[in-house]
Amino acid sequence: MADSAVSHGSLPLAGRRDDDMPGHWLLARMGKRVLRPGGLELTENLLRDADLHDADVVELAPGLGKTARAILDHRPRSYIGVEADEQAVDLTRQAIAEAGSVRHADADSTGLHDASADAVVGEAMLTMQTDRGKSEIIDEAFRVLRPGGRYAIHELSLHPDTLSDEQKTEIRHALARSIKVNARPLTETEWRALLEKSGFEVERVRFAPMALLEVKRNIADEGVLGTLRITLNILRNRAARARILQMRRVFTTYRDEIAAIELIARKPA
Ligand SMILES: C[S@@+](CC[C@H](N)C(=O)[O-])C[C@H]1O[C@@H](n2cnc3c(N)ncnc32)[C@H](O)[C@@H]1O
């Protein structure tokens, strides 16, 4: 799908006001297409580490369908997306055309068969769930994976592991206030513990800076023209500009404590 094919009208929450919109959909409305904290580079590492060639792949929460396309470049045996937002389902269907299918369902109850996938991929979707919601989705990924299958996630993490509960709460509140999503990033130890509680063995962890709103990252993710288009859209829209500057302030204030994390977890054979 050409990015220009995504009109504002077809984006999720198209009728919602800019000052009240979840941060990721606000950025999408401004033209941003890479909506995950570690950017395309961490996605590329994640997909390589997940070993997708000839695999049956399930993607949880494909959003605009950008990673779906990248997954297809790895020549999986099959692709199924599972997305809770109806408009995002349509966008991912457009993105993959006949190369797979997309279900409108919650990631914690995909309706897929037990042990039917070799890899489950999810980006920027677990962080926004409650602790219980995270566990329900991880349990579901475990259920649909075959023994030896990989669960590959790209999420937000907190550093260092020794942050106090008060510091974690302060960061989570600041994030939630600015992006208007109840973001609950975890430390590496907490992510590992959650995956292990569902039965996974964590095989690989990588980090990348949380640079979603940095110019250099945007040029890498969206290209020079894409970055210019996004910048012009933000400059033209006062409410969106105020929101995005506020988000950027929070990301900058906590730049030493927030990072993108990749984890590859295996269902024991
Ligand atoms: C920040 S966007 C990330 C989209 C995409 N994974 C990416 O990295 O570009 C979050 C996506 O998660 C989807 N989502 C959130 N909770 C979900 C759930 N419980 N089940 C399925 N999709 C969910 C939202 O509809 C949205 O498309």
Side-chain angles (χ1 to χ4, degrees):
M1 173 186 61
D3 285 349
S4 56
V6 180
S7 74
H8 286 188
S10 63
L11 283 170
L13 306 184
R16 192 106 153 237
R17 285 177 20 212
D18 289 335
D19 54 5
D20 183 36
M21 178 112 171
H24 50 283
W25 294 141
L26 178 65
L27 293 173
R29 184 179 275 183
M30 294 299 112
K32 192 153 168 54
R33 294 293 170 259
V34 177
L35 302 175
R36 55 215 93 119
L40 280 187
E41 192 179 341
L42 196 65
T43 296
E44 279 160 14
N45 288 330
L46 179 86
L47 300 185
R48 207 173 319 113
D49 293 340
D51 192 11
L52 303 179
H53 180 63
D54 221 14
D56 290 316
V57 179
V58 173
E59 185 186 3
L60 303 178
L64 305 179
K66 185 116 180 156
T67 295
R69 289 284 298 267
I71 289 173
L72 293 175
D73 289 343
H74 285 253
R75 299 172 151 271
R77 189 179 314 132
S78 66
Y79 171 91
I80 300 176
V82 179
E83 170 57 63
D85 183 281
E86 224 170 329
Q87 279 141 319
V89 169
D90 288 342
L91 291 169
T92 302
R93 283 192 181 134
Q94 289 171 38
I96 63 166
E98 303 297 311
S101 61
V102 188
R103 294 177 160 225
H104 181 211
D106 201 287
D108 67 7
S109 42
T110 60
L112 298 171
H113 291 303
D114 289 0
S116 55
D118 302 301
V120 174
V121 176
E123 296 185 291
M125 60 83 66
L126 279 178
T127 299
M128 62 176 67
Q129 320 291 333
T130 61
D131 287 350
R132 186 167 161 194
K134 288 182 174 72
S135 283
E136 286 171 352
I137 292 172
I138 297 171
D139 286 346
E140 179 70 353
F142 192 86
R143 184 187 70 74
V144 303
L145 278 170
R146 301 189 174 107
R150 287 85 59 204
Y151 184 31
I153 66 173
H154 170 173
E155 294 291 340
L156 263 189
S157 68
L158 292 179
H159 288 277
D161 269 333
T162 50
L163 278 181
S164 68
D165 285 345
E166 289 73 30
Q167 287 169 306
K168 289 181 197 168
T169 304
E170 176 191 316
I171 298 169
R172 286 169 183 154
H173 282 171
L175 277 172
R177 268 197 306 274
S178 71
I179 62 178
K180 304 212 184 285
V181 171
N182 207 5
R184 294 184 50 79
L186 302 179
T187 62
E188 176 187 348
T189 304
E190 289 169 335
W191 280 118
R192 281 177 175 272
L194 211 56
L195 289 160
E196 286 163 4
K197 185 160 71 79
S198 295
F200 283 106
E201 289 165 359
V202 175
E203 285 197 337
R204 181 185 266 283
V205 179
R206 291 183 200 254
F207 293 96
M210 164 52 170
L212 193 68
L213 298 179
E214 300 301 322
V215 174
K216 200 168 145 209
R217 167 72 68 75
N218 274 279
I219 290 174
D221 285 357
E222 315 286 349
V224 175
L225 284 181
T227 305
L228 266 177
R229 195 176 62 220
I230 296 165
T231 308
L232 282 176
N233 286 339
I234 294 173
L235 288 174
R236 279 196 206 109
N237 183 323
R238 189 136 60 111
R241 191 167 67 241
R243 281 283 315 279
I244 290 166
L245 285 175
Q246 165 67 8
M247 284 161 59
R248 194 159 186 272
R249 264 195 297 277
V250 172
F251 298 160
T252 307
T253 303
Y254 296 108
R255 70 153 63 93
D256 292 338
E257 288 85 15
I258 304 176
I261 187 169
E262 164 195 329
L263 294 114
I264 305 284
R266 190 177 289 273
K267 178 170 177 170

